[in-house]
Amino acid sequence: MTITCESPTDLLATLHRHFGHRAFRPGQEQLVAAVLRGRDVLAVMPTGSGKSLGYQLPAVVLPGTTLVVSPLISLMKDQVDELNRRGIPSGALHSMLSSECRREVIEGARAAHLRLLYVAPERFASDQFIRLLGELTIARFVIDEAHCVSEWGHDFRPDYRRLRSAAAACRTIDGAVRPPIAAFTATATREVRDDIVALLGLEAPQILVAGFDRPNIYLRVEPVLDEDEKHERLPRLVTGRRALVYAATRRSAEAAATTLQAGGLQAAAYHAGLEDRERTRVQDAFASGALGVVCATNAFGMGIDRPDVDAVVHFAIPGSVEAYYQEIGRAGRDGRRATATLLWDYADVATREFLIDAPRRAAAGAPRGARPPVDPAELARRKEIEHRRLQRMIAYAGTNACLRATILQYFGDPDVRQPCHACSNCQPHALDAYECALVRTILTGIAQAGERYGRRRIAAMLAGDVDDLPPTLADVPSAGSLAQEQAYTVGQWIDAAISSGLIVTSQDQYRTLSLTARGRDVMTGRTGDLQMASPVRPADRWSRRRLRGVRHGRSRRKQL
Ligand code: ADP
Ligand code: ZN
C-alpha cells in the first residue's frame, strides 16, 4: 500500500491533532514517512527518543490495524492507556489479561475497531492467535526491541523467531503477501542488525538511525593510574553538581561514597546489597533533591528521572558502549550542559572480565535482563559476545579520535561530524606534568639535532631506535630520552606540537623540523601552562609501562 497524500504539513497537523506535539524530533519525520511509504524499515533509535511515534502516527493514518509486538507488558499497558486517552482506539494481548478483557480486545480487533493492537511475543506460539491474524487486516507489522530476534542481542528470545512466518499469515489491505514490517531497536552492532534483517526476512529495508547524539553532554575520558587517583579526582568532578557515580562493584560504590562524604559532600551509596528501606531512602532523597550525589552499581537509575543530573562519572569502565551510553544518558535531560567522565584505569578491565566469566549469581555487574542460559555452549557463546562488547568499550576509552564520533559511529549514526568540540579529545586541554615534560623533551631533541632532521628520524632518535640513524643524530644527548615511548607515539606528539604551533616543517622535500618562537619559549620553560589536544591517551602509555613491568608510574613520571 503506497500512501502519497500525506504532505509534510499534513503530517505535522496529524502529529499535533493526535499526539499534541508541535514539532517532530530529529529523525522522526523521516521515520514516519518511511513507515507510511510501505517499505520494510529497520529503525535504530535509543530508548526514550520517541520511536513509538514512528509507528503510532502511521497507524492513525493508514487503513487497517497496526500490529505491535512488544516484550514488556508494563510498557505495552502504558502505551495502550495513553493512546486510548488520546482517542486512538488500541488494545493489548498478553498473559496478564483476564479472559474477559482478552475477549473484548479480540472482538474489537475483529470488528476492525482498533488502530493499534499490541501483543506479547509469546502469543505467536498459539495457533489460535495465528488464526486470528488471518482474520484481521494488518496495515503494518511492527516489532519493538527487534534485537531480541538476534542471538547477538542482549535479550535473545526464541519467540521472536516465529515472527517471520506470523507476518506471512497476516491479511493485508492490498492483497500483498505480507504487510510491511517495521523493526525497532536501540542496539545497533553489525551482527545484531544483520541478524534482524535476515531472521525477520526484511526485504530491501530502509535503515534509519537517529537520535543518538546528545550534544549537551560533554564527554571526557580521564586516565588514572590507580584507585587512589580516582578518589583524588572524584570530589572535583561532582562538587556543586547533581551527580551519578557508577561503580563496577558494591564495594567500590561504597568506597566512592565514603570519599565524598569525607569531603563534606551529600553522597550515598546505592546497590542491590542494601536493605530495601535504605535503597528507597536513597532513591527518594535523590529524587527530591535532598541528596546531591549517588554512587551506584548499575542497579540504580531505572526509576530515577531527574532531568537536572549534570554529571555522570564512571568510576570504572562499564561493560559495553551500550551500557555506557545508557548510563550517561541520564545526564542533561533538561537540555542543559552536562558532563560525562570516564575514569579510565586499564586495571579495571580485569574486574569486568571477572564479572563476565563469573557464575551468573556472582555477576552483580552483568547487564540487566541477561537471563541465566542453561546450555553450556550457549553460556560460552554469550560470554564471548560480552567480551567483544567490552573490547569495544576499551577501544572507546583508549581512542585518540573524537569521543562523540566514536560512539555515534558505533551506533551507526550517519550524522557524525567531527571534531565535535565537546569532548576531551577534540578540545585542547592543559597537559599534565608528564605530558609537558614529554613535549619539552621533543623540542629539546629537535634543537640538539640542529633542526636538520625530519619527523621520522627525530621520533626514532628520542625513542632510542638509533640503529638506522646517522651517527651525528644517534649521538645527540637526548637520544633515547623518551625510551619509554614508542617512536610511533613520539611521532604523534610531534604532529600535535606542529598543530599547536610549537614546531614547523620546512616546505622543501626534506620536511625538516624546527622550533617556532613559541616552541623555544616552551622548551626553555618561559611558557609554563601548555594547552594542546594530547594525541595519545596517556593510559596507553601507562598500560604499556605496566606491561613492561614498570610498577610505579608516578615516580617514573617524576624522573622524566
Ligand atoms: P521510545 O523511543 O522509548 O519508544 P517514546 O516513544 O515512549 O520513546 O517517547 C518518549 C517520550 O517522548 C514520550 O513521553 C513522548 O510523548 C515524547 N515525544 C515523542 N515524540 C515527541 C515530539 N515530537 N515532541 C515532543 N515529545 C515527544
Ligand atoms: Zn569530539
Side-chain angles (χ1 to χ4, degrees):
M1 174 101 200
T2 312
I3 297 280
T4 48
C5 58
E6 289 287 325
S7 73
T9 39
D10 289 342
L11 284 183
L12 212 53
T14 311
L15 174 72
H16 189 222
R17 187 165 58 246
H18 293 281
F19 299 92
H21 306 316
R22 297 205 167 268
F24 284 106
R25 286 192 181 154
Q28 262 181 344
E29 192 171 3
Q30 293 90 315
L31 175 59
V32 167
V35 172
L36 280 174
R37 225 171 285 131
R39 261 176 74 180
D40 286 348
V41 170
L42 171 58
V44 186
M45 292 170 91
T47 306
S49 61
K51 60 180 148 58
S52 323
L53 197 85
Y55 55 83
Q56 288 174 348
L57 195 154
V60 172
V61 175
L62 293 167
T65 301
T66 290
L67 187 77
V68 184
V69 185
S70 169
L72 292 169
I73 295 177
S74 58
L75 226 68
M76 204 186 297
K77 198 176 156 325
D78 287 352
Q79 294 219 350
V80 168
D81 289 349
E82 175 72 13
L83 286 163
N84 283 317
R85 207 178 52 76
R86 291 189 180 281
I88 303 168
S90 305
L93 289 175
H94 52 75
S95 56
M96 306 294 279
L97 234 46
S98 68
S99 51
E100 192 187 337
C101 285
R102 182 171 311 157
R103 209 169 319 118
E104 209 172 290
V105 172
I106 291 176
E107 272 166 24
R110 281 210 177 105
H113 178 59
L114 301 182
R115 299 276 85 218
L116 291 111
L117 175 61
Y118 283 74
V119 295
E122 306 81 70
R123 293 294 100 200
F124 293 90
S126 144
D127 292 340
Q128 208 182 345
F129 177 70
I130 301 290
R131 272 198 300 280
L132 172 69
L133 281 185
E135 296 171 35
L136 312 179
T137 302
I138 300 297
R140 296 292 181 266
F141 195 101
V142 175
I143 297 154
D144 207 357
E145 312 288 341
H147 55 264
C148 291
V149 77
S150 166
E151 296 197 354
W152 292 95
H154 49 75
D155 199 11
F156 170 61
R157 295 186 182 209
D159 294 324
Y160 269 67
R161 291 290 169 88
R162 300 200 182 93
L163 300 182
R164 183 180 188 164
S165 56
C170 292
R171 208 174 60 190
T172 59
I173 199 144
D174 57 0
V177 184
R178 64 152 172 79
I181 297 179
F184 292 80
T185 177
T187 303
T189 54
R190 253 268 86 77
E191 295 97 343
V192 173
R193 212 181 292 180
D194 291 350
D195 261 10
I196 293 173
V197 172
L199 297 168
L200 293 177
L202 301 187
E203 280 171 31
Q206 185 165 354
I207 298 183
L208 294 151
V209 183
F212 279 94
D213 194 10
R214 298 288 309 277
N216 61 316
I217 303 180
Y218 183 93
L219 301 171
R220 184 158 54 198
V221 176
E222 287 198 14
V224 295
L225 281 169
D226 50 26
E227 273 319 278
D228 288 351
E229 193 171 348
K230 290 182 190 173
H231 286 272
E232 274 165 36
R233 288 184 187 224
L234 185 60
R236 177 177 54 78
L237 295 170
V238 301
T239 299
R241 292 155 177 260
R242 186 166 306 287
L244 295 173
V245 179
Y246 282 101
T249 63
R250 296 172 185 184
R251 212 172 55 171
S252 158
E254 300 271 1
T258 305
T259 293
L260 294 175
Q261 287 156 0
L265 291 164
Q266 297 286 335
Y270 183 101
H271 51 73
L274 296 177
E275 282 186 13
D276 285 353
R277 202 150 35 94
E278 173 64 0
R279 276 218 305 268
T280 312
R281 187 193 71 79
V282 173
Q283 209 150 342
D284 289 351
F286 190 74
S288 75
L291 181 66
V293 188
V294 172
C295 304
T297 58
N298 61 6
F300 188 75
M302 292 305 274
I304 289 296
D305 199 16
R306 270 204 82 96
D308 58 348
V309 171
D310 50 8
V312 171
V313 178
H314 278 76
F315 212 54
I317 191 166
S320 66
V321 178
E322 283 93 341
Y324 185 61
Y325 213 50
Q326 181 157 31
E327 283 158 13
I328 69 172
R330 303 211 163 95
R333 291 228 169 123
D334 55 5
R336 286 199 302 208
R337 188 173 151 149
T339 323
T341 308
L342 169 62
L343 293 174
W344 168 223
D345 179 359
Y346 196 88
D348 294 331
V349 170
T351 313
R352 280 292 165 204
E353 285 178 334
F354 171 79
L355 290 173
I356 293 172
D357 290 326
R360 276 296 163 203
R361 66 193 133 75
R368 270 185 301 275
R371 288 169 295 174
V374 271
D375 175 18
E378 168 66 9
L379 186 68
R381 214 183 45 77
R382 293 218 64 84
K383 284 182 180 174
E384 190 212 316
I385 293 169
E386 286 184 32
H387 279 293
R388 281 223 232 169
R389 289 221 171 91
L390 176 61
Q391 287 304 321
R392 297 293 298 264
M393 187 60 212
I394 295 170
Y396 169 83
T399 187
N400 305 322
C402 170
L403 295 174
R404 176 164 279 100
T406 303
I407 289 183
L408 295 181
Q409 272 158 359
Y410 178 80
F411 288 115
D413 196 326
D415 297 329
V416 177
R417 266 171 291 133
Q418 52 176 325
C420 74
H421 298 298
C423 79
S424 55
N425 284 357
C426 284
Q427 274 203 333
H429 63 280
L431 300 188
D432 67 19
Y434 176 88
E435 292 167 327
C436 282
L438 188 143
V439 171
R440 286 206 182 96
T441 306
I442 289 173
L443 299 172
T444 306
I446 293 170
Q448 285 179 350
E451 301 182 297
R452 287 190 292 118
Y453 294 94
R455 176 185 181 280
R456 191 182 59 77
R457 285 181 160 174
I458 292 290
M461 179 272 285
L462 289 165
D465 300 342
V466 295
D467 294 351
D468 299 327
L469 296 181
T472 43
L473 184 57
D475 289 341
V476 301
S478 50
S481 57
L482 293 178
Q484 74 279 17
E485 299 287 352
Q486 287 176 355
Y488 173 79
T489 311
V490 177
Q492 288 186 305
W493 278 95
I494 291 174
D495 293 340
I498 293 171
S499 308
S500 305
L502 305 178
I503 302 172
V504 283
T505 315
S506 69
Q507 293 304 307
D508 58 22
Q509 69 198 87
Y510 302 108
R511 321 244 346 124
T512 54
L513 303 179
S514 54
L515 308 190
T516 62
R518 209 171 94 75
R520 255 168 247 289
D521 286 347
V522 169
M523 179 180 70
T524 55
R526 220 173 300 158
T527 300
D529 186 27
L530 242 186
Q531 295 265 336
M532 59 193 264
S534 63
V536 187
R537 300 244 55 90
D540 295 355
R541 199 174 65 217
W542 292 335
S543 55
R544 257 207 317 276
R545 220 179 295 161
R546 278 206 181 95
L547 290 177
R548 289 177 188 183
V550 180
R551 294 214 49 82
H552 300 294
R554 258 184 237 263
S555 50
R556 180 68 178 225
R557 286 167 93 188
K558 290 201 186 97
Q559 285 163 20
L560 194 98

